[in-house]
Amino acid sequence: MIFYDDVISDVPDGVVCARGVCVFIEDGDDEITNTANPQSPLSSPLAKARLTLFFSSVLYGTNFPLGALMNDSLPASAATSSRMVLAAVALSPFLPRLKPSMAPLALLCGCFTATGYIAQSLALVDTSPSTVSFLGALTVVVCPVLEAIVNKRKLGLQDAPQVWLAAALCISGVGVLELAGGEVTGSYKGDALALLQAVGFGTSFFLTEKLMRGTEGMALPVTAVQVSVTAFICAIWSALDPSGWLFTDNNFTLNKIMLDPDPVMKTAFYAVLWTGFITTAFNRLLETLSLSKLTSAEAAVILSTEPLFAALFGSVFLKETFGWNDYVGGALIVSACLANTLTKDSKVFVSLSGK
């Protein structure tokens, strides 16, 4: 999950977008323009927003190992639908606030969001959480490509050097993860699904930012629609999945998960609660609050730490071990995320061009 506001050239003044959430800066809050001051006290609104967004990134890192744990006890369809239904219930009060004119694009956006979550859940069945997270970071390439195709944005080396740098780092990182290090943890099918996750989330973020331009007060309603559509699609997937709710002797139900004395099943139940209420619904709220204070570039830098926390929690919860290719490949992909926050006028490109 990356942050693509920098690829949008015509976001109105006063709007900040990242990770598919856009908000208006509060009137009278001029602290956002003072990001060059590194001495802001921890009690300032700007510092609180930074800490809040960093905390949000830490929470997102738990999604991947907990998703793998849920898949060990439940069918992927059941685990994902349970999580998304809980998140949809939590965000449902915001649904009536959506403007009717925004509904078609919001629904389409929700379909791509569902694609991302379903692909992520299936990838976690036989691919390590850290690998799924790092490959998911390849969304850094998706939105610039959509900008070039849909919005006819110029993406030549002179026009957008940061995009080419990010793409090169991403491709290098994936190559190191996939082709180096000897033993392969996971499968090429799981890796392909992790890449599809990037396409789903990246397209969702692109459509959300397009949807939110010039629209005030619609961030949470749009998010609520995305989550609700995702919950609906995942419920259909779960109902039709031969290994899911209806076609197994175990007959997985929420009541069974709650009452099952098996510690593994209890862990899955708590993981469903955590990922539904905390890392989906609550984290969206944290992002919205933080993005009313921070620039999108700074938000992107903070949130790009998510794959690192996914790897950390994977080692804690699942006792994952890492080879040199995991460290190098992961570092290259995170570097790509950071590189995409630059502009063609950044010092690094100016110095290289000799101007």
Side-chain angles (χ1 to χ4, degrees), residues 1-318:
M1 320 192 141
I2 317 296
F3 341 94
Y4 304 99
D5 26 54
D6 283 344
V7 302
I8 296 178
S9 58
D10 58 346
V11 174
D13 292 338
V15 177
V16 177
C17 299
R19 293 182 62 91
V21 177
C22 299
V23 298
F24 276 74
I25 302 169
E26 297 174 2
D27 293 338
D29 185 4
D30 56 2
E31 196 167 5
I32 193 169
T33 63
N34 192 31
T35 57
N37 178 17
Q39 303 300 324
S40 299
L42 291 178
S43 59
S44 70
L46 183 60
K48 289 180 179 179
R50 288 169 175 161
L51 291 173
T52 300
L53 202 58
F54 180 76
F55 180 61
S56 177
S57 185
V58 174
L59 292 179
Y60 271 124
T62 66
N63 272 343
F64 296 90
L66 290 181
L69 286 174
M70 288 188 291
N71 286 347
D72 288 340
S73 305
L74 300 169
S77 58
T80 306
S81 63
S82 298
R83 166 191 177 183
M84 299 313 302
V85 166
L86 291 178
V89 170
L91 291 169
S92 60
F94 300 102
L95 284 173
R97 302 184 187 180
L98 184 73
K99 294 181 179 179
S101 61
M102 302 175 67
L105 191 55
L107 292 172
L108 177 63
C109 189
C111 292
F112 281 103
T113 302
T115 299
Y117 277 114
I118 291 173
Q120 179 187 100
S121 183
L122 290 173
L124 287 169
V125 171
D126 58 5
T127 305
S128 70
S130 57
T131 299
V132 175
S133 178
F134 282 125
L135 291 177
L138 287 171
T139 44
V140 72
V141 179
V142 174
C143 278
V145 170
L146 289 173
E147 278 289 315
I149 296 175
V150 178
N151 294 344
K152 309 300 181 183
R153 178 181 176 238
K154 295 182 179 179
L155 283 179
L157 187 59
Q158 297 297 322
D159 300 306
Q162 74 278 8
V163 173
W164 291 93
L165 176 59
L169 289 170
C170 268
I171 293 172
S172 300
V174 172
V176 171
L177 282 174
E178 295 300 304
L179 304 177
E183 182 179 355
V184 177
T185 59
S187 68
Y188 290 115
K189 177 183 177 182
D191 294 343
L193 287 167
L195 292 174
L196 179 60
Q197 162 202 212
V199 174
F201 285 136
T203 306
S204 171
F205 296 159
F206 173 80
L207 292 175
T208 300
E209 290 166 343
K210 190 177 182 66
L211 184 67
M212 292 300 297
R213 293 183 206 178
T215 304
E216 185 175 3
M218 289 290 105
L220 282 174
V222 168
T223 302
V225 171
Q226 291 179 9
V227 174
S228 297
V229 171
T230 302
F232 178 72
I233 293 176
C234 288
I236 295 177
W237 171 37
S238 180
L240 299 179
D241 182 10
S243 63
W245 298 95
L246 301 181
F247 298 95
T248 62
D249 294 334
N250 291 325
N251 188 24
F252 293 106
T253 65
L254 188 60
N255 185 58
K256 172 178 172 57
I257 299 174
M258 293 174 63
L259 299 179
D260 197 314
D262 184 0
V264 176
M265 191 64 74
K266 287 291 186 184
T267 299
F269 171 66
Y270 292 128
V272 168
L273 292 180
W274 177 267
T275 56
F277 288 125
I278 303 300
T279 63
T280 301
F282 178 63
N283 249 13
R284 286 284 186 171
L285 178 59
L286 290 184
E287 286 181 358
T288 303
L289 294 174
S290 299
L291 289 172
S292 66
K293 305 291 182 182
L294 297 175
T295 64
S296 57
E298 184 173 8
V301 171
I302 296 172
L303 288 169
S304 66
T305 59
E306 177 193 323
L308 300 179
F309 291 113
L312 174 62
F313 287 119
S315 66
V316 172
F317 294 132
L318 304 179

Side-chain angles (χ1 to χ4, degrees), residues 336-355:
C337 302
L338 300 180
N340 204 46
T341 67
L342 301 174
T343 67
K344 66 177 181 180
D345 298 320
S346 298
K347 290 182 179 180
V348 61
F349 298 124
V350 173
S351 61
L352 289 174
S353 64
K355 294 182 180 179

